[in-house]
Amino acid sequence: MCWSATADLVAGAGITCVGVACVTRVHRVGDLPLAALPVLLGVHQLVEARVWQVGGGTGWATVAWAVIALPLLAVWVPLAVLGAVPRDAAARLTIPVVSGLATAAVLAYAVATRPVRAEIRGHTVGYVIGLPYAGVLIAGYLLATVGALLLSGDRWLMALGALAGVGALVCWALWRLEFVSTWCAFAAACSVVVFGWVAGRRPRTRSSVRPTPDRV
């Protein structure tokens, strides 16, 4: 996520504030879960700050981090996108939604039944869970999250999907090298994109629907 407890605290607080701003600008109930995504990402950063402070281990913060990162986001993102898109676009989200539900179920079972441990590795935190069929789960996770955004048909959400995909690739490469965690920067950028999406949404008002003139 971030390279230190301080970085996680600063990033988490900032991203959460962006999320609150997004939520307060929502005009449609269906947009609320997606608008609240930065709040979830910000809380996630704050949780990891606690993981840094206690030196990793297997405490509540580690488990909370895993719950948010794995099963919760896997199902939150595709369902949030489904609630935000027009009805005629919902059909193409069937596969990401099903993938998210299935992936989240397996991940939730793994987190509930296996020990979750965090290890401080220089400027990164490694989380050890021992997931079964890790490659399949990663593919399902990306299909559910990045795939749902890319298939939304909304230019802001498609941009968010592209950014999340690139961010996942870059952060994974840097994490594998145990160089530095950079996801907090991408999470901040994603939150700004969500804010742009919310700001661009317009409520449907009576004045926006012009009455059809009566024909004689």
Side-chain angles (χ1 to χ4, degrees):
M1 295 286 286
C2 265
W3 54 89
S4 68
T6 301
D8 262 320
L9 283 172
V10 172
I15 293 169
T16 301
C17 288
V18 174
V20 172
C22 291
V23 170
T24 58
R25 285 166 171 76
V26 167
H27 300 291
R28 294 179 60 252
V29 174
D31 292 347
L32 187 58
L34 195 54
L37 181 59
V39 175
L40 184 60
L41 296 177
V43 170
H44 201 205
Q45 304 271 341
L46 296 174
V47 168
E48 190 178 71
R50 179 60 181 171
V51 175
W52 278 103
Q53 290 171 348
V54 299
T58 58
W60 68 265
T62 299
V63 175
W65 185 96
V67 169
I68 296 173
L70 299 176
L72 185 54
L73 280 175
V75 72
W76 185 296
V77 174
L79 290 180
V81 175
L82 182 64
V85 300
R87 290 184 179 180
D88 57 0
R92 61 175 174 262
L93 294 175
T94 300
I95 292 177
V97 168
V98 171
S99 178
L101 291 171
T103 302
V106 176
L107 291 173
Y109 178 79
V111 172
T113 59
R114 297 168 181 260
V116 183
R117 186 176 74 257
E119 300 175 351
I120 306 299
R121 303 171 183 172
H123 294 291
T124 67
V125 180
Y127 294 90
V128 181
I129 302 175
L131 296 174
Y133 309 106
V136 176
L137 289 174
I138 291 171
Y141 189 99
L142 292 176
L143 176 59
T145 53
V146 176
L149 292 166
L150 293 177
L151 291 173
S152 66
D154 182 283
R155 63 185 182 90
W156 280 101
L157 299 185
M158 292 170 67
L160 178 61
L163 180 62
V166 172
L169 181 61
V170 171
C171 293
W172 174 81
L174 292 175
W175 177 82
R176 290 285 294 178
L177 294 172
E178 296 186 4
F179 175 62
V180 66
S181 295
T182 54
W183 175 245
C184 55
F186 282 99
C190 289
S191 298
V192 172
V193 175
V194 173
F195 182 84
W197 172 76
V198 172
R201 305 282 277 180
R202 293 290 181 266
R204 183 180 179 86
T205 61
R206 292 182 180 179
S207 61
S208 65
V209 181
R210 297 181 179 180
T212 304
D214 295 333
R215 295 182 178 180
V216 178

